[in-house]
């Protein structure tokens, strides 16, 4: 460095030393910080956490109640006692007519997600004597229709996605083991991210899911192929990725425990590599697992226990998706076809059609009468 350059640097340091330090930037002030309803919300959320509600549930309740408080603030409603039955019904109509930036209305599920926490909040306020009565006690929650999965991956599509994970390096080996486990067990991405190394029982071929949705534990069987990839990952891949000791089963490229968003990003990457342009990510493997097992003859109550559904009606959605057997029966029995059947009209139906029809009739007779 030249003498001139050294003098310039010394002079710059002296000038900067004389400058007063910049004041720290103040954090953005919460516009609802002084709203009288906010302390009641915080007290309710604390009550939920103390009584064992999950962090995700507490956060969703926070978002829903805060949205209502913002709506009340715009209308000059400052205290829970200011909220009447008519106000709650007016808020429900507001949600129904609300339009998102793209012009679409809120789905019935989103409206339920806004109103159910509100109803429970006011019930808590009345029970704790913060208000004289519950204005939301008679609020009718909109019915949420049972919607089928938008997309179900076929078996060749699933195999194409799994094959994209290159097991020649530790990251690819981890991804292959992760995708195989998701497809074999039907776990949610959060459940897969929370797995520990001791949750895999190789001798009994089981995966222990601890504190799944609604904090329910369950044990899930895992297939031989997925278990083999998992064993290979634990022996060859995880030790190379691990930077410090912890119990997480799946780790990132930097040795940290995987987060649900990381798992979804890996799934989306391999879908794009396989040329599958369908909406969704990790949950597609869960849908595929349930649908393919149902088509293979699995009992719906077994699937309910495996997927961790609280209600059988949730699992029953997959019976409307798995239609391969129904298609085969339709093809074998319906007379309106593009090509004429092998046998002449009036002759006996084909043996496979008779067997398919007999199975359907037997299953129909075995079902209890719901109208009795």
């Amino acid at each position: 460095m030249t003498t001139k350059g050294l003098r310039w640097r010394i002079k710059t340091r002296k000038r900067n030393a004389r400058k007063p330090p910049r004041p720290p930037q103040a954090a953005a002030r919460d516009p609802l910080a002084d709203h009288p309803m906010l302390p009641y919300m915080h007290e309710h959320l604390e009550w939920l956490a103390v009584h064992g509600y999950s962090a995700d549930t507490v956060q969703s309740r926070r978002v829903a109640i805060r949205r209502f408080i913002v709506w009340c603030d715009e209308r000059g409603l400052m205290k829970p006692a200011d909220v009447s039955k008519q106000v709650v019904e007016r808020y429900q109509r507001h949600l129904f007519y609300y339009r998102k930036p793209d012009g679409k209305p809120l789905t019935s599920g989103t409206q339920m997600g806004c109103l159910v926490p509100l109803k429970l909040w006011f019930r808590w306020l009345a029970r704790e004597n913060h208000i004289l009565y519950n204005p939301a006690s008679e609020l009718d929650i909109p019915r949420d229709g049972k919607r089928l999965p938008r997309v179900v991956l076929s078996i060749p599509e699933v195999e194409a996605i799994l094959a994209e994970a290159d097991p020649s390096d530790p990251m690819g080996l981890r991804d292959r083991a992760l995708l195989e486990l998701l497809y074999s067990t039907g776990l949610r991405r959060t459940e897969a991210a929370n797995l520990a190394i001791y949750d895999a029982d190789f001798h009994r071929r089981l995966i222990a899911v601890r504190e799944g949705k609604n904090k329910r534990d369950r044990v899930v069987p895992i297939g031989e192929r997925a278990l083999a990839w998992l064993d290979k990952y634990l022996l060859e891949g995880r030790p190379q990725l691990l930077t410090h000791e912890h119990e997480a089963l799946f780790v990132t490229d930097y040795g940290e425990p995987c987060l649900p968003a990381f798992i979804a990003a890996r799934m989306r990457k391999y879908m794009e590599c396989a040329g599958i342009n369908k909406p969704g990510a990790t949950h597609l493997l869960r849908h595929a697992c349930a649908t393919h097992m149902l088509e293979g003859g699995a009992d719906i109550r077994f699937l309910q226990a495996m997927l961790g559904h609280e209600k059988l009606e949730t699992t029953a959605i997959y019976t409307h998706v798995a239609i391969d057997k129904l298609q085969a029966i339709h093809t074998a029995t319906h007379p309106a076809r593009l090509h004429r059947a092998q046998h002449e009209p009036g002759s006996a139906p084909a043996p496979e059609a008779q067997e398919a029809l007999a199975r359907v009739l037997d299953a129909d007779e075995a079902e209890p009468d719901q109208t009795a």
Side-chain angles (χ1 to χ4, degrees), residues 126-146:
R127 189 173 64 242
E128 297 294 323
N129 297 320
H130 294 303
I131 54 178
L132 295 177
Y133 73 101
N134 180 3
S137 61
E138 299 180 8
L139 181 65
D140 292 328
I141 303 298
R143 299 176 63 181
D144 187 23
K146 297 296 183 182

Side-chain angles (χ1 to χ4, degrees), residues 104-126:
K104 296 181 179 179
L106 299 178
T107 64
S108 57
T110 302
Q111 295 179 51
M112 284 183 60
C114 294
L115 294 174
V116 171
L118 197 63
K119 191 168 184 177
L120 298 175
W121 183 45
F122 278 109
R123 186 175 68 183
W124 175 85
L125 286 170

Side-chain angles (χ1 to χ4, degrees), residues 81-367:
D82 296 337
V83 180
S84 63
K85 175 184 175 183
Q86 291 75 19
V87 170
V88 176
E89 291 175 346
R90 183 179 169 192
Y91 179 68
Q92 184 176 15
R93 289 193 298 271
H94 161 76
L95 295 175
F96 179 78
Y97 289 109
Y98 179 83
R99 292 298 178 266
K100 294 182 287 187
D102 58 1
K104 296 181 179 179
L106 299 178
T107 64
S108 57
T110 302
Q111 295 179 51
M112 284 183 60
C114 294
L115 294 174
V116 171
L118 197 63
K119 191 168 184 177
L120 298 175
W121 183 45
F122 278 109
R123 186 175 68 183
W124 175 85
L125 286 170
R127 189 173 64 242
E128 297 294 323
N129 297 320
H130 294 303
I131 54 178
L132 295 177
Y133 73 101
N134 180 3
S137 61
E138 299 180 8
L139 181 65
D140 292 328
I141 303 298
R143 299 176 63 181
D144 187 23
K146 297 296 183 182
R147 295 180 297 274
L148 299 178
R150 290 183 297 173
V151 173
V152 177
L153 298 174
S154 64
I155 296 178
E157 287 176 332
V158 173
E159 295 296 341
I161 294 172
L162 300 180
E164 288 296 329
D166 183 11
S168 61
D169 60 79
M171 285 78 74
L173 182 56
R174 172 207 59 209
D175 293 345
R176 181 61 185 264
L178 175 61
L179 296 177
E180 290 278 0
L181 180 139
L182 290 171
Y183 178 51
S184 179
T185 61
L187 296 187
R188 303 176 178 93
R189 62 178 184 173
T190 303
E191 295 170 342
N194 292 337
L195 288 177
I197 53 177
Y198 51 76
D199 288 332
D201 189 337
F202 288 86
H203 178 66
R204 300 169 61 198
R205 291 192 299 172
L206 297 173
I207 297 292
V209 180
R210 308 184 188 278
E211 293 195 2
K213 193 172 182 179
N214 296 327
K215 290 193 174 183
R216 291 195 300 268
D217 295 352
R218 70 183 190 278
V219 179
V220 179
I222 181 172
E224 293 181 356
R225 191 178 75 175
L227 203 62
W229 281 109
L230 187 61
D231 184 44
K232 185 176 178 65
Y233 158 70
L234 289 175
L235 292 176
E236 303 175 14
R238 188 176 182 274
Q240 298 186 50
L241 295 173
L242 207 62
T243 56
H244 61 280
E245 287 298 326
H246 56 75
E247 298 177 342
L249 180 59
F250 293 105
V251 298
T252 65
D253 299 355
Y254 304 101
E256 299 295 331
C258 285
L259 296 176
F262 175 85
I263 296 177
R266 305 307 294 175
M267 175 64 182
R268 171 51 56 186
K269 170 192 171 184
Y270 290 118
M271 285 182 61
E272 294 175 353
C273 293
I276 299 174
N277 185 21
K278 293 184 176 181
T282 316
H283 227 62
L284 292 180
L285 289 182
R286 179 174 169 87
H287 290 325
C289 170
T291 306
H292 297 164
M293 289 184 65
L294 195 62
E295 290 175 344
D299 185 83
I300 190 172
R301 293 193 178 275
F302 169 79
L303 287 178
Q304 179 191 8
M306 182 172 174
L307 297 176
H309 288 159
E310 185 176 3
K311 297 180 180 179
L312 185 62
E313 291 80 1
T314 306
T315 316
I317 292 176
Y318 294 103
T319 62
H320 302 286
V321 180
I323 62 171
D324 282 3
K325 292 183 178 179
L326 180 59
Q327 286 177 326
I329 294 173
H330 184 276
T331 302
T333 59
H334 201 283
R337 302 171 184 159
L338 182 62
H339 302 287
R340 188 177 296 276
Q342 296 288 337
H343 55 278
E344 294 296 328
S347 61
E352 59 271 15
Q354 290 180 333
E355 295 177 3
L357 184 58
R359 288 195 298 269
V360 172
L361 293 176
D362 291 341
D364 186 60
E365 289 184 2
E367 288 185 359

